[in-house]
Amino acid sequence: MSRRHPADLRAALAALDLMPGELVRVREEVPARFGVSSRYARWAGAPAAPPTGPGPAVLFEQVTPSGGAAEDSGSGYGGAGDDGAGDDGAGDGAEPGASAVLMGLYGTRRRAAALLGATPAELAHRLLDAVAAPLPPVPAADPDRWARSDRKPDLTTLPVPVLTDEDAGPYLTLGAVLATDPATGVRNLSIHRMCVQGPDLLTIWMVPGRDLEQAHRNSLAAGRPLPVAIHLGLGPAVLLASCCPTSLVPTGTDELAVAGALAGAPVELLPCRTVDAEYIAHAEYVLEGELLPDTMPENPRGTTATPEFLGYQGTAHPALPTVRITGITARRGPILQAVSGPGHEQSVLLGFGMEAAVLAALRRRGAPVRAVHCHTAGGGQLMVVLQWAAKRSAEDDALVREASQAVLEEFRMAKLVLSVDEDVDLESDQDLWWAMVTRWQADRDLLVLPDREGFPLDPTQSVAYSPALSADGRTAKAVFDCTVPYAQRRRFRRARFTDAPGSDRR
């Protein structure tokens, strides 16, 4: 069996103790309403509003609950406290009524990949290997290893963050929903935006046509609600697998089996206590419930939802399905994991799966791509950087452009592709801009694809912004070819410093 990696969230935090500066603990009491988000903002990174930049994972050890969506907006957070490191990552020191909240675990590409024993460049290949050789989940052999207690099924007692005073309410931003399609018997694990609407009620936004929505439809057709287990606080392999696009993990493939292969050990499952469903044994919190036929407005009091991953305030849906919570269980000293909406973390989580999917698509074309980087500035989806192997002939000039265009045609979310040579560092924004400035001419190296299917959360993708578009949710796409023409390759050789005799420059 391959090398094992952190099975659960606590093992991941323990691994950060071996990486100096990667984990900050905030020990004073902080309110979930505005307190967590305002303290974390400086570390969120773009697309969060400046001043911000990629930073450490932050464990808020004592967070007081924000209550439900019907409560008033409350006040901001209290005074500053010690941000120093400590020894306990499980939040066991929290006072009654307060619990731990973790933000930013995947806030940098390097840290996210390191938790799975990889570099950012290696992780896409690891995901492809996991999809090719999945390791199915198993019943937990020792349930006592994951001891947990029953809690009152009251969502308002949980430290669910509220990010802005425009939000519809507290949102589960990293709630991973596990359900089994009654028509196919296939499990689906996926992350969805869920708003606390009352003590035992959530609204859930499901992307139309995806697996969970289809499982819900099949369950309702059979005359019953869909049993679900919502997980808050999961191990890195499971969370990353849950974020993979359908183009990488197609319908019929169990995300938990991909997670098992990625982690090097099967994911362990246990039966829920109040619904006919399974849950992931190592989860910090499990919310058991039923996805109902009923709908309600996401924000009964206004038009806004919560900040979206591209950096803009979200628009509330007029009618969303609801989840009735029937039970809550938690480990001792549980950690509720969340993301800030816009920021590096959500972009990193979305980007790695997208990179693997693009890499697989280009491999199928026989394109000599070396690496793919879905940049966090585009939310891990809209901006795709392709690094190409050294060109072998003039025909490769056309091949690079054709393959770059194919990515934009195949992947709806991709809005621009930046192609660079193998001597450019994909992880360096400075190097990418250098390639743009010195290896690109607008009159010959820009390819525009007008009026393609796009992504409505980008506010430019609307007829109000561009009358050239045929409908909202469509966009003009572009290829920026910053690769050196084969015939001129000798003119673009980067200077290298000469090593002094006896030096050991690595």
Side-chain angles (χ1 to χ4, degrees), residues 3 27 37 59 99 104 109 145 151 181 216 292 366 373:
R3 180 185 173 189
R27 293 194 172 91
S37 57
L59 182 64
S99 301
R109 289 169 55 82
R145 179 188 177 196
R151 295 194 169 201
D181 190 323
H216 184 216
L292 304 174
H373 178 185

Side-chain angles (χ1 to χ4, degrees), residues 366 368 389-396 399 486:
K391 292 177 179 177
R392 299 156 297 182
S393 67
E395 285 72 25
D396 282 349
L399 185 154
Y486 176 77

Side-chain angles (χ1 to χ4, degrees), residues 327-418:
I328 297 177
T329 64
R331 296 179 67 179
R332 180 173 177 266
I335 304 167
L336 189 149
Q337 191 174 9
V339 295
S340 62
H344 267 53
E345 183 169 25
Q346 185 158 327
S347 301
V348 167
L349 286 168
L350 291 171
F352 280 130
M354 178 84 163
E355 287 169 13
V358 171
L359 186 62
L362 290 174
R363 282 179 172 178
R364 289 193 295 269
R365 294 178 61 90
V369 63
R370 294 186 75 248
V372 180
H373 178 185
C374 290
H375 203 287
T376 55
Q381 302 277 291
L382 276 67
M383 178 179 175
V384 182
V385 185
L386 304 178
Q387 186 185 57
W388 296 93
K391 292 177 179 177
R392 299 156 297 182
S393 67
E395 285 72 25
D396 282 349
D397 292 338
L399 185 154
V400 165
R401 297 197 181 197
E402 291 167 3
S404 300
Q405 178 177 347
V407 170
L408 293 176
E409 299 283 16
E410 182 169 342
F411 293 89
R412 174 179 66 89
M413 299 280 282
K415 184 181 181 182
L416 65 88
V417 166
L418 177 68

Side-chain angles (χ1 to χ4, degrees), residues 61 95 111 114 147 177 208 212 234 343 476 497:
E61 294 186 340
E95 295 293 329
R111 182 166 66 242
V177 181
L212 183 61
L234 289 168
F497 295 110

Side-chain angles (χ1 to χ4, degrees), residues 176-191:
V177 181
L178 182 63
T180 299
D181 190 323
T184 65
V186 175
R187 294 185 197 89
N188 173 252
L189 181 70
S190 48
I191 291 176

Side-chain angles (χ1 to χ4, degrees), residues 26 54 62 67 71 78 97 116 119-121 131 171 239 252 269 293 310 318 321 374 413 422 439 465:
V26 177
Q62 299 191 63
E71 295 192 0
L116 290 167
T119 65
V131 172
Y171 274 86
L239 198 63
L269 299 175
L310 290 183
C374 290
M413 299 280 282
E422 61 184 354
R439 296 182 175 182
Y465 187 92

Side-chain angles (χ1 to χ4, degrees), residues 40-400:
Y40 178 68
R42 60 178 165 140
W43 292 305
T52 190
V58 184
L59 182 64
F60 298 89
E61 294 186 340
Q62 299 191 63
V63 180
T64 55
S66 58
E71 295 192 0
D72 61 24
S73 61
S75 60
Y77 64 91
D82 175 24
D83 284 351
D87 295 324
D88 186 307
D92 288 333
E95 295 293 329
S99 301
V101 173
L102 176 66
M103 303 279 282
L105 182 62
Y106 308 100
T108 69
R109 289 169 55 82
R110 183 184 61 79
R111 182 166 66 242
L115 289 171
L116 290 167
T119 65
E122 293 168 343
L123 195 48
H125 299 273
R126 290 273 308 279
L127 276 168
L128 290 176
D129 291 343
V131 172
L135 189 59
V138 297
D142 180 15
D144 291 340
R145 179 188 177 196
W146 312 110
R148 55 199 315 113
S149 60
D150 287 298
R151 295 194 169 201
K152 182 180 178 182
D154 184 352
L155 297 167
T156 65
T157 65
L158 303 183
V160 184
V162 181
L163 304 181
T164 81
D165 58 7
E166 295 184 81
D167 285 14
Y171 274 86
L172 308 183
T173 51
L174 271 185
V177 181
L178 182 63
T180 299
D181 190 323
T184 65
V186 175
R187 294 185 197 89
N188 173 252
L189 181 70
S190 48
I191 291 176
H192 301 270
R193 183 174 91 192
M194 290 172 277
C195 184
V196 177
Q197 300 292 348
D200 63 349
L201 192 66
L202 295 164
T203 49
I204 180 171
W205 161 236
M206 295 179 286
V207 177
R210 298 292 294 271
D211 292 347
L212 183 61
E213 187 200 44
Q214 188 58 52
H216 184 216
R217 290 179 181 273
N218 290 340
S219 189
L220 296 183
R224 57 182 181 271
L226 179 68
V228 296
I230 302 169
H231 305 78
L232 303 172
L234 289 168
V238 175
L239 198 63
L240 183 58
S242 73
C243 295
C244 289
T246 303
S247 52
L248 178 65
V249 184
T251 299
T253 301
D254 189 344
E255 286 89 355
L256 293 184
V258 174
L262 196 60
V267 176
E268 297 187 12
L269 299 175
L270 286 168
C272 289
R273 304 181 185 187
T274 62
V275 294
D276 184 17
E278 304 165 298
Y279 72 88
I280 298 164
H282 71 247
E284 294 291 318
Y285 288 93
V286 176
L287 315 182
E288 302 177 2
E290 295 178 325
L291 188 45
L292 304 174
D294 311 315
T295 64
M296 68 176 293
E298 185 174 15
N299 187 349
R301 294 157 301 282
T303 61
T304 55
T306 192
E308 296 283 4
F309 74 109
L310 290 183
Y312 300 96
Q313 188 72 23
T315 300
H317 293 267
L320 287 181
T322 55
V323 180
R324 179 74 63 187
I325 300 302
T326 57
I328 297 177
T329 64
R331 296 179 67 179
R332 180 173 177 266
I335 304 167
L336 189 149
Q337 191 174 9
V339 295
S340 62
H344 267 53
E345 183 169 25
Q346 185 158 327
S347 301
V348 167
L349 286 168
L350 291 171
F352 280 130
M354 178 84 163
E355 287 169 13
V358 171
L359 186 62
L362 290 174
R363 282 179 172 178
R364 289 193 295 269
R365 294 178 61 90
V369 63
R370 294 186 75 248
V372 180
H373 178 185
C374 290
H375 203 287
T376 55
Q381 302 277 291
L382 276 67
M383 178 179 175
V384 182
V385 185
L386 304 178
Q387 186 185 57
W388 296 93
K391 292 177 179 177
R392 299 156 297 182
S393 67
E395 285 72 25
D396 282 349
D397 292 338
L399 185 154
V400 165

